[in-house]
Amino acid sequence: MCTLFTKICDAVAVAKILNASLFIPQLEVNPVWQDSSMFMDIFDVDHFINVLKDDISIVKELPDDFYWSTREYYATAIRANRVKTAPVHASANWYIENVSPILKSYGIAAIAPFSHRLAFDNMPKDIQHLRCKVNFQALVFVPHIRALGDALISRLKYLPTERESSTNYLNVVTDSRSKQGNGKFVVLHLRFDKDMAAHSACDFGGGKAEKLALAKYRQVIWQGRVLNSQFTDEELRSQGRCPLTPEEIGLLLAALGFDNSTRLYLASHKVYGGEARISTLRSLFPLMEDKKSLASSEERAHIKGKASLLAALDYYVGMHSDIFISASPGNMHNAMVGHRTYLNLKTIRPNMALLGQLFLNKSLTWPEFQEAVVEGHKNRQGQLRLRKPKKSIYTYPVPDCMCSA
């Protein structure tokens, strides 16, 4: 879902560069999650159009005169107005030189694929500012995601300190907030699903059977083309290339001073290993919650089985948390880091290389581990970082999105 932010922001920017109208982006069905959600299922289209009305023209539906240009009309044939040669991180001039002639000839151009097809460097300032405006102001989730998110946030902030029955718990309302909780919570993005575990090629303690199962899964999904598989587990961990397991992220949080009174929201898809895998984390943080524990089945009916909407809900809750931390870098981590930086919110970025080395050292005592963790994360808790060349403006919004000069 979070890669959508980048694609949509860049699509708006390209439309501006070409002085063209933008047709609401069409989303591909995700081959892994099998999610067919469209743009209007995830984002508030009217808000999107209204915020950008002074920048570009956006149309919800393609005019009948251009139906001939759709994929449905052409089926498997090649569309004459399709641009499929856009290089990764193309310049503004590339679009002017290569796409403008197609627009003039056909009146419409379809650019696909469009992932990471616009450069972050050497862009006009107005284009950079527009990308920021889209990402941080125009893209807002649909009302029912925001409403459910607000309900979850209220329950997280003011949940009872002692768990009551599930029925009473789900009915906690803001009227009782004065006597329940301190109103603060942490969101943990536990990026530990089967795809992540397999693609990392790391050892997660499941023995020979687990190694063989993950190797077979890698072969099926990626035909064995996984760079990490050529390294040993120790090499990968020492380089910070292994995702943190639920047990490891629990130790990190404990070393940073979080304890069993911390209200923790678990943002994740299916955790590899299921409930048994997160039992240790849950024992460390008994007030840990997730979508399923906080919302009734009726409330979750609209998003059940829809990975994009489930991720949107987690993202919304994450943006309203007091602290956000991700178990490993990735699309959601990068999007959240940039968005929370833009709003000056605290985000903890795990030092993956340091943690990998610490977990490999079996002779460390707890005080030694804690001291190393605290020292290694002093400058990784939301401090502003200037964007470096070729880095994403959406992950590093300083200076492009936050400086007027």
Side-chain angles (χ1 to χ4, degrees):
M1 189 278 297
C2 290
T3 57
L4 292 181
F5 286 93
T6 300
K7 294 178 183 179
I8 294 166
C9 295
D10 286 350
V12 171
V14 168
K16 181 71 172 180
I17 290 169
L18 297 172
N19 193 28
S21 296
L22 176 70
F23 174 51
I24 290 292
Q26 291 181 309
L27 311 181
E28 299 285 352
V29 176
N30 188 295
V32 176
W33 307 120
Q34 292 297 305
D35 185 358
S36 59
S37 298
M38 293 290 99
F39 184 96
M40 60 284 300
D41 298 322
I42 305 168
F43 300 106
D44 188 328
V45 175
D46 291 334
H47 176 86
F48 180 72
I49 293 174
N50 185 59
V51 170
L52 299 173
K53 67 180 185 296
D54 295 328
D55 300 291
I56 65 166
S57 170
I58 301 173
V59 294
K60 292 182 181 181
E61 297 181 3
L62 203 62
D64 292 340
D65 291 350
F66 290 111
Y67 178 70
W68 59 267
S69 71
T70 64
R71 286 180 297 182
E72 293 78 10
Y73 181 88
Y74 268 82
T76 58
I78 298 174
R79 289 178 285 171
N81 67 321
R82 179 185 168 188
V83 180
K84 58 179 181 178
T85 58
V88 173
H89 298 154
S91 67
N93 283 337
W94 187 93
Y95 285 96
I96 293 171
E97 293 171 2
N98 294 274
V99 182
S100 286
I102 294 176
L103 278 172
K104 289 179 181 178
S105 296
Y106 298 98
I108 187 170
I111 306 172
F114 193 67
S115 181
H116 305 292
R117 290 308 198 271
L118 185 63
F120 290 115
D121 300 327
N122 301 315
M123 281 287 154
K125 284 187 177 180
D126 64 320
I127 297 299
Q128 295 291 65
H129 291 163
L130 179 58
R131 293 166 102 176
C132 302
K133 184 177 181 179
V134 179
N135 196 50
F136 302 124
Q137 298 177 39
L139 287 174
V140 170
F141 296 125
V142 290
H144 75 85
I145 290 292
R146 304 200 305 267
L148 181 54
D150 287 336
L152 267 58
I153 291 163
S154 178
R155 292 163 191 170
L156 270 169
K157 285 185 173 183
Y158 308 107
L159 60 88
T161 53
E162 294 183 6
R163 183 65 55 85
E164 300 172 1
S165 70
S166 59
T167 301
N168 290 335
Y169 177 62
L170 288 173
N171 287 329
V172 169
V173 294
T174 53
D175 292 341
S176 57
R177 62 179 59 179
S178 61
K179 295 183 179 180
Q180 297 175 346
N182 59 8
K184 295 186 177 182
F185 66 97
V186 178
V187 166
L188 164 62
H189 180 227
L190 186 59
R191 195 165 178 246
F192 197 70
D193 53 47
K194 188 175 182 178
D195 277 14
M196 185 66 184
H199 195 270
S200 71
C202 299
D203 183 357
F204 298 107
K208 186 177 180 180
E210 181 180 76
K211 287 182 181 180
L212 289 174
L214 291 179
K216 183 178 180 180
Y217 188 75
R218 277 196 296 275
Q219 184 62 38
V220 171
I221 302 298
W222 300 286
Q223 291 74 52
R225 298 191 298 270
V226 176
L227 180 64
N228 280 5
S229 59
Q230 63 185 293
F231 300 101
T232 66
D233 179 73
E234 185 171 333
E235 289 173 329
L236 292 171
R237 290 190 181 281
S238 62
Q239 296 170 24
R241 295 166 70 174
C242 292
L244 297 178
T245 66
E247 298 90 344
E248 290 170 341
I249 196 72
L251 291 174
L252 168 62
L253 289 170
L256 290 173
F258 299 97
D259 57 27
N260 61 6
S261 67
T262 299
R263 299 168 189 277
L264 195 66
Y265 176 83
L266 187 62
S268 69
H269 195 59
K270 294 179 180 178
V271 175
Y272 176 60
E275 182 61 31
R277 189 81 220 212
I278 62 173
S279 59
T280 300
L281 180 63
R282 195 178 295 281
S283 66
L284 286 171
F285 302 98
L287 296 180
M288 185 172 74
E289 307 289 346
D290 57 23
K291 294 180 287 290
K292 191 173 181 179
S293 67
L294 285 171
S296 67
S297 56
E298 290 79 9
E299 288 175 307
R300 290 182 280 112
H302 291 300
I303 61 174
K304 185 177 180 180
K306 299 177 181 178
S308 294
L309 298 184
L310 292 166
L313 180 61
D314 281 339
Y315 191 97
Y316 185 84
V317 175
M319 281 305 303
H320 290 78
S321 65
D322 297 278
I323 299 173
F324 175 84
I325 182 169
S326 181
S328 64
N331 293 328
M332 183 165 178
H333 166 89
N334 293 339
M336 291 291 292
V337 165
H339 205 158
R340 290 178 66 87
T341 296
Y342 182 77
L343 296 177
N344 195 29
L345 302 173
K346 186 171 182 178
T347 305
I348 298 175
R349 297 181 298 110
N351 188 330
M352 302 297 287
L354 169 66
L355 291 168
Q357 294 162 20
L358 292 177
F359 288 128
L360 285 171
N361 188 346
K362 307 302 181 183
S363 65
L364 278 179
T365 64
W366 175 252
E368 291 171 336
F369 175 81
Q370 187 173 30
E371 182 180 359
V373 167
V374 171
E375 182 63 29
H377 288 81
K378 279 185 176 178
N379 298 316
R380 304 180 69 88
Q381 301 189 37
Q383 292 86 347
L384 292 180
R385 295 178 295 158
L386 292 176
R387 185 177 72 85
K388 296 179 180 179
K390 297 183 179 181
K391 293 297 183 180
S392 171
I393 192 175
Y394 311 118
T395 306
Y396 304 94
V398 182
D400 304 84
C401 300
M402 299 176 68
C403 299
S404 56

